[in-house]
Amino acid sequence: MKISYYDKGLERYLQLDLDKNSADDVQASLPEADIDGLPTEKYAKSPDGKYDYLCAFKYNLRDDMARKIRRKFYRRDNETGELVQMFTKWDMSEFQPCNYFFIKENLFFTVASYEDNVKNSVFVCDISESLDGENAKELWETEAYPYSIHLNPQKDKLAYHLAGYDKDFNPYGYYAINIMELDGTRHLVCSEKGHLFFGPAWSPDGQWLTFVDCLPEQDKAHHFCDIVVCKPDGSGFHRLTEGTSCLFATAFGLDGYRMGGSNFPIWTKDSKIICSPMLPGSHPDCHFDETQRDHEELIYDPSMGKGGCGFSILDPETGISEELTPAKADCWDFRPHLSADGKWLLYTHSEFGKAGELRLRNMETGETKSITNGHNGLGADHAAFIEV
C-alpha cells in the first residue's frame, strides 16, 4: 500500500510504501531523483506498467499565484530506463501546465495558466501520436480559472469549479460548478449569488456530485462551509448541513512552518459522504489580514484557536449523520482520502501548536495509527493513496 504526501521539513512530495518502509526512513520515501535540478514526482503509470510519467518542478506559493512555475514532463521506460522529455513543442516560458492527468490510456489533459493571469486554456493531447505536444488540441479558452477537476467513473465527463466571472459559466463571479465533456462542450451545474461552490466530486455511480458551499462575504478567510449534493444537470440541489458547520480551509501547524489548503468531502464506496463537522464556535489558530497578498492572508494567531473537528459520514438520501472520528477540542481531522477498496482512510490530524501528522484508519475495525509528522517533526499533509 503506497501513499504520497507533502513533507514540510523537506519542502517536497514524498512517496512511501507502508508495507515495506517507515516514514522515518527519508531515503526510502524519496520518490525520484531530481531532474535538471528540479524535485520530481511520479504522477501516472501506464496501464501496462511499461512507463512512468514524471513531473519536475520547484514549488512556492508566490510563484504559483503569479503563474510562474514551469513544470517539465517526462516519460520513463521501466524496461530500458530511457527518460524522454515530453511536450517540448509547448513554450514553457509562456505556458504553465497544471491540473494535469490522464483521462484515458493515452489522452493527456491539462489546464494552461499563462503568466499574465488573464488567460487560461484547456488542452487534450493524444501521446500515442506524439510525445512532443505538437498535436495538442485546445478545447476552450477563458479568463476564468478552472480547477479541482474530477473525472467521472465513466471517464467521459469532467466536473470542476470555475473561479472568476464568466457570463455563461460563472455569472455571479464567485465560484461555480461546471461540467465539461471530452469534446469541450461545457455545462453550468450551479452558480448562486454570494455563494462559493468548490471541489466537486462524483458519486461512485456518476449520478451525483458533492461539493462545499462557502459564504465568502461573511467568511473572507473561507474557513467554514456546508456540504451540498446535486445531479450533474443541477437538479436535486440540496444542502446536507446548515449554518456553515463544516471545515473548509485553514492554516495550521508550527509557527514558522505553517501549512494550509482546502478540505473536500469525499464519497464512500456505498455512496455516502465523509466530511469534517466542527464543534460549535470553532475557529483555527489564525486571523485574516486582507492587506496581505492573495493566499497569504491567514496570520498565525494562537489566541484565535478554539474548538476542533472530526469526521462524519452523511447519507445523502436520508440525511442521517454517523460519527466516524469524534470532534474534540483542539484537534482537527481533515483532508480525507479513501483507498480504492474503501478499507483505509488516510487523513491529516492537527492540534493547536503542533505539526500536522498523517493518520491511517481501518474503516472496518476503527484501528488508527500515526504515519508521520514530517522530516524533523515539521509537518506532513496532502496525503493520497497511489493506486497502480
Side-chain angles (χ1 to χ4, degrees), residues 53-108:
Y53 296 96
L54 311 173
C55 183
F57 64 98
K58 180 67 174 179
Y59 181 84
N60 69 72
L61 177 62
R62 292 189 177 183
D63 282 348
D64 190 22
M65 296 306 297
R67 307 292 187 251
K68 291 182 178 179
I69 294 180
R70 307 299 167 216
R71 291 167 170 87
K72 295 184 177 181
F73 295 84
Y74 301 85
R75 186 179 75 176
R76 181 178 62 203
D77 189 311
N78 288 325
E79 295 178 359
T80 66
E82 180 185 21
L83 192 68
V84 178
Q85 186 172 354
M86 302 168 63
F87 311 128
T88 56
K89 297 297 183 180
W90 293 354
D91 183 357
M92 292 300 179
S93 67
E94 297 288 338
F95 196 70
Q96 179 211 24
C98 56
N99 285 327
Y100 48 85
F101 55 88
F102 283 92
I103 297 176
K104 296 181 179 179
E105 180 175 352
N106 293 305
L107 192 61
F108 180 82

Side-chain angles (χ1 to χ4, degrees), residues 372-383:
T372 181
N373 65 352
H375 186 58
N376 290 333
L378 295 178
D381 190 23
H382 297 289

Side-chain angles (χ1 to χ4, degrees), residues 8 25 100 116 154 164 170 172-173 196 207 215 232 236 251 280 311 334:
K8 186 64 176 177
D25 184 356
Y100 48 85
D116 59 12
Q154 293 76 24
N170 191 11
Y172 294 107
L196 189 158
Q207 299 301 306
L215 305 178
F311 289 125
F334 54 97

Side-chain angles (χ1 to χ4, degrees), residues 268-269 338-345 361-364 387:
T268 64
K269 289 180 68 67
L338 272 177
S339 59
D341 60 8
K343 182 178 179 180
W344 299 98
L345 178 68
R361 178 185 177 88
N362 186 310
M363 293 290 285
E364 296 175 354
E387 310 289 355

Side-chain angles (χ1 to χ4, degrees), residues 165-315:
Y165 173 77
D166 183 296
K167 67 181 181 64
D168 295 317
F169 300 102
N170 191 11
Y172 294 107
Y174 294 87
Y175 284 36
I177 303 299
N178 282 231
I179 285 176
M180 185 187 76
E181 299 180 33
L182 298 190
D183 62 0
T185 302
R186 292 179 287 163
H187 310 278
L188 174 63
V189 177
C190 63
S191 178
E192 189 174 340
K193 186 177 181 180
H195 290 260
L196 189 158
F197 297 133
F198 196 99
W202 295 92
S203 62
D205 60 6
Q207 299 301 306
W208 290 88
L209 293 168
T210 187
F211 45 92
V212 306
D213 176 14
C214 174
L215 305 178
E217 294 178 0
Q218 294 98 300
D219 175 18
K220 292 183 178 180
H222 302 170
H223 287 317
F224 315 120
C225 69
D226 282 314
I227 309 302
V228 177
V229 292
C230 73
K231 292 281 191 178
D233 63 2
S235 64
F237 181 101
H238 64 285
R239 293 174 175 87
L240 298 177
T241 64
E242 58 183 20
T244 58
S245 57
C246 295
L247 178 68
F248 177 20
T250 185
F252 66 96
L254 302 173
D255 188 18
Y257 297 92
R258 302 288 282 173
M259 305 180 75
S262 303
N263 181 49
F264 307 121
I266 61 170
W267 292 92
T268 64
K269 289 180 68 67
D270 58 353
S271 296
K272 296 179 182 178
I273 296 168
I274 298 177
C275 62
S276 298
M278 299 179 297
L279 294 172
S282 293
H283 197 283
D285 56 348
C286 56
H287 71 262
F288 183 80
D289 183 352
E290 60 186 356
T291 67
Q292 299 299 311
R293 292 172 182 256
D294 191 22
H295 284 63
E296 295 182 4
E297 305 98 334
L298 297 183
I299 309 302
Y300 178 57
D301 185 351
S303 69
M304 297 291 291
K306 54 185 177 180
C309 68
F311 289 125
S312 287
I313 299 179
L314 293 173
D315 187 328

